[in-house]
Amino acid sequence: MDLESAFQTVGEFGPFQRRAVFVLNLSQLYMACQSMLIVLIGSTPQYQIQSKDSAQPSQQVQLQHPTFTEDVDSIVTEWLLVKQQAYKVGLAGSLFFAGLLVGNVVFGPLSDKIGRKPVYLTGLFLEVVFGYVTALAPSYEVFAASRLLVGLMNGGIGLVCFVLTQEYVGKSYWAMTGTLASMSFAVGIALFAALGYFIRPWRTLAMAANSSGVLFFLLSVMLPESPRWLYSQGQTERAEEVLRYMAQKNSNKANNLVLQRVSAGKAGYHDNRRSGVLQLIVHPVLRLRTVVLMYVWYACSLVYYGLTLGAGDMSGSRYLNVAMYGVVELPAYPLCIYFINKHWAGRRKSMAAFLCLAGVACLCTTLVPDSSGLFLSVTSLALLGKLMVSAAFNIAYVYTSELYPTVIRNAGLGVCAMSCRVGGILAPFVPSMRALHTSMPFTVFCLSGLSAGCLGLLLPETLHRPAAETLEDLSSPNQARVLETKIFEDTYGYVAVAPRGL
């Protein structure tokens, strides 16, 4: 039998898969805490600068010493990161995101080559180790270096963790498990805000947030290797063993489960292991898909983080504000689950529509005066835009994993995530364009969302279509080629592929 038939025999989302997805989603909570750590431990309280005369009479020099008027314990108060040293707080955050970028590029192809489980466990273990270095850092330099290394591991295992949640279950559940992963990350942001509210010393907070990773690592050790990756690498016997193990845990009988043997000539897995990211460039279908997806991910990140900066510029409790960043995303995920599984919407149209709606929301912010009411204020429209782009971002994860074959899925996600980090790095610079015109930042976000939504329509639909396991599958009749075919849904719900000329 083929792999999808095997999952139907084993159970596409049985008790074993539910436990495995639950453990992987717990890891998303941990990664969210590490991502938001600098927001609380890098907070700058109110302070005053006091000048004191030098102790040496021959020197007419006044020494300036900051005095903090708020009872806040952070890296700012410990290492006096104010005035000329204030940039170091933002630098630590930038180093984390730089680590994310490198981790996305390195860990994706690595897990495609040596396996999902060893890369995931190694990355999670090292992230916990470097997280403790953050909490115990004796100086700012050690702290900054540890944030770079934590970001490197966080970016890498985030991708592998997401792919594992997809590859443990049947394809019909990919949308749900992908959405649950994104929801877990948003919930993790809110839980970290609550943790920071009760634990104020920054070292204790960093230690507490990092210690949960130890438990999640121990739970993850029992997870098996991805059967989809094993099958794509020609390790059919090991894939059958994992599937029989799943069937046993799901209380299903799969004693006679035998997968189709894929020859090396058809699968091409030896070539795939050597080529890695190079296949994204040389393969004509993958090249076109990658170019489109990279821009979509870049635009999602640019609009998402840009709107976060705009909507988050409000007074009040910093802990409540951090929680709002996570909570505001939660309504987006039920919308994703509903729309992407409807035959009249699907992945492609839903992602494009949410991106365009985010662009329209940004456009409306330029038309609404500052003295408008509560429901039509710039802040409410910016939050609405963030809700829309969060939905598009979630669909992009699910959709991208379905567009790439198993043998190169992590590499494709890694390249797309790299362009995503570029958008996140550039987002803080967009507000400075207000010097040209007050509406320029939201105009940039508007054009980015609209252009990415329109460009995303060039991709093929993947709803109710079999997942590609090898590069050879891309040329099969069941796979629609980018810009060369279009998909029709007949009245009975079957998918047909026709040339562009028809």
Side-chain angles (χ1 to χ4, degrees):
M1 62 181 67
D2 59 21
L3 202 55
E4 294 305 326
S5 299
F7 269 99
Q8 292 178 3
T9 301
V10 169
E12 291 189 284
F13 196 63
F16 170 80
Q17 284 104 327
R18 288 195 288 270
R19 288 192 295 269
V21 170
F22 176 72
V23 170
L24 292 171
N25 284 339
L26 288 178
S27 299
Q28 292 285 352
L29 299 180
Y30 168 71
M31 287 183 279
C33 290
Q34 289 293 350
S35 299
M36 298 299 295
L37 188 67
I38 194 65
V39 177
L40 294 185
I41 71 172
S43 59
T44 303
Q46 297 291 331
Y47 65 92
Q48 297 176 348
I49 299 295
Q50 295 180 346
S51 299
K52 296 181 180 180
D53 294 333
S54 175
Q56 299 180 5
S58 60
Q59 296 181 354
Q60 299 298 324
V61 179
Q62 285 189 334
L63 301 178
Q64 293 184 339
H65 181 78
T67 300
F68 296 97
T69 58
E70 290 184 72
D71 185 17
V72 174
D73 181 31
S74 67
I75 62 173
V76 176
T77 60
E78 179 168 338
W79 292 315
L80 304 180
L81 303 181
V82 297
K83 303 294 283 185
Q84 291 84 0
Q85 301 296 317
Y87 76 93
K88 291 184 176 180
V89 179
L91 177 62
S94 298
L95 288 173
F96 178 85
F97 282 100
L100 288 179
L101 190 152
V102 178
N104 293 153
V105 178
V106 173
F107 277 63
L110 192 61
S111 66
D112 284 333
K113 183 177 181 179
I114 67 176
R116 316 304 198 211
K117 182 180 177 179
V119 172
Y120 170 69
L121 290 179
T122 302
L124 182 56
F125 175 79
L126 291 177
E127 183 172 359
V128 172
V129 171
F130 295 138
Y132 282 123
V133 175
T134 294
L136 302 173
S139 64
Y140 171 81
E141 289 73 20
V142 175
F143 173 85
S146 69
R147 296 315 296 163
L148 174 65
L149 295 172
V150 168
L152 179 67
M153 299 301 136
N154 192 289
I157 67 173
L159 279 179
V160 182
C161 179
F162 175 81
V163 170
L164 275 174
T165 61
Q166 304 289 76
E167 295 185 352
Y168 278 150
V169 302
K171 187 176 182 297
S172 60
Y173 288 89
W174 280 14
M176 184 190 70
T177 55
T179 301
L180 287 175
S182 299
M183 288 184 66
S184 299
F185 194 89
V187 171
I189 296 175
L191 290 178
F192 174 69
L195 185 66
Y197 179 79
F198 292 104
I199 303 177
R200 298 302 176 90
W202 78 267
R203 290 186 183 273
T204 308
L205 175 59
M207 187 74 71
N210 190 64
S211 296
S212 62
V214 178
L215 173 62
F216 302 152
F217 172 79
L218 295 176
L219 293 174
S220 300
V221 170
M222 304 304 297
L223 297 176
E225 181 57 270
S226 164
R228 294 183 183 273
W229 179 83
L230 292 171
Y231 184 71
S232 70
Q233 299 298 302
Q235 302 181 38
T236 311
E237 292 80 7
R238 289 188 59 194
E240 291 172 349
E241 291 178 3
V242 174
L243 289 171
R244 293 191 186 101
Y245 175 76
M246 289 182 176
Q248 180 184 0
K249 295 299 182 179
N250 291 339
S251 301
N252 293 328
K253 295 182 179 180
N255 297 328
N256 298 325
L257 188 150
V258 178
L259 295 174
Q260 294 177 351
R261 263 49 181 176
V262 182
S263 64
K266 179 181 178 182
Y269 58 85
H270 294 297
D271 292 336
N272 294 334
R273 286 187 291 183
R274 288 197 299 265
S275 58
V277 180
L278 184 61
Q279 282 288 358
L280 301 178
I281 302 174
V282 300
H283 198 287
V285 175
L286 292 177
R287 181 171 61 246
L288 292 171
R289 291 185 183 182
T290 301
V291 170
V292 174
L293 287 170
M294 285 181 68
Y295 183 75
V296 168
W297 280 59
Y298 161 80
C300 284
S301 180
L302 182 70
V303 178
Y304 176 88
Y305 288 110
L307 290 177
T308 299
L309 294 174
D313 188 17
M314 49 187 172
S315 59
S317 171
R318 62 175 62 93
Y319 306 101
L320 179 61
N321 293 342
V322 172
M324 284 294 295
Y325 295 152
V327 173
V328 74
E329 300 179 29
L330 294 180
Y333 304 122
L335 291 176
C336 293
I337 295 177
Y338 176 78
F339 283 107
I340 64 179
N341 287 315
K342 298 295 182 180
H343 72 276
W344 45 267
R347 277 70 158 149
R348 179 173 63 99
K349 293 180 181 178
S350 297
M351 184 182 73
F354 281 122
L355 278 170
C356 290
L357 288 173
V360 171
C362 293
L363 177 63
C364 291
T365 58
T366 64
L367 306 176
V368 174
D370 295 335
S371 59
S372 58
L374 176 63
F375 295 102
L376 289 177
S377 64
V378 174
T379 300
S380 61
L381 288 172
L383 288 172
L384 176 62
K386 186 185 176 184
L387 175 68
M388 295 294 104
V389 77
S390 297
F393 221 157
N394 179 67
I395 297 174
Y397 267 95
V398 177
Y399 191 27
T400 302
S401 66
E402 294 177 345
L403 285 171
Y404 285 109
T406 301
V407 294
I408 205 168
R409 183 168 295 130
N410 257 328
L413 280 168
V415 171
C416 293
M418 178 188 67
S419 63
C420 162
R421 302 307 173 192
V422 173
I425 292 172
L426 293 178
F429 297 98
V430 177
S432 64
M433 299 178 69
R434 286 192 179 94
L436 301 176
H437 194 276
T438 55
S439 63
M440 187 61 69
F442 283 106
T443 301
V444 172
F445 299 143
C446 169
L447 294 177
S448 299
L450 292 176
S451 60
C454 294
L455 194 61
L457 292 174
L458 299 176
L459 296 169
E461 181 57 71
T462 58
L463 180 64
H464 302 318
R465 302 183 65 84
E469 304 296 336
T470 66
L471 296 179
E472 184 71 19
D473 292 341
L474 292 177
S475 59
S476 68
N478 289 327
Q479 291 291 329
R481 295 174 66 87
V482 180
L483 307 179
E484 295 177 8
T485 58
K486 58 183 177 179
I487 301 173
F488 295 96
E489 290 280 346
D490 64 16
T491 55
Y492 298 97
Y494 294 100
V495 178
V497 180
R500 275 292 181 190
L502 299 181

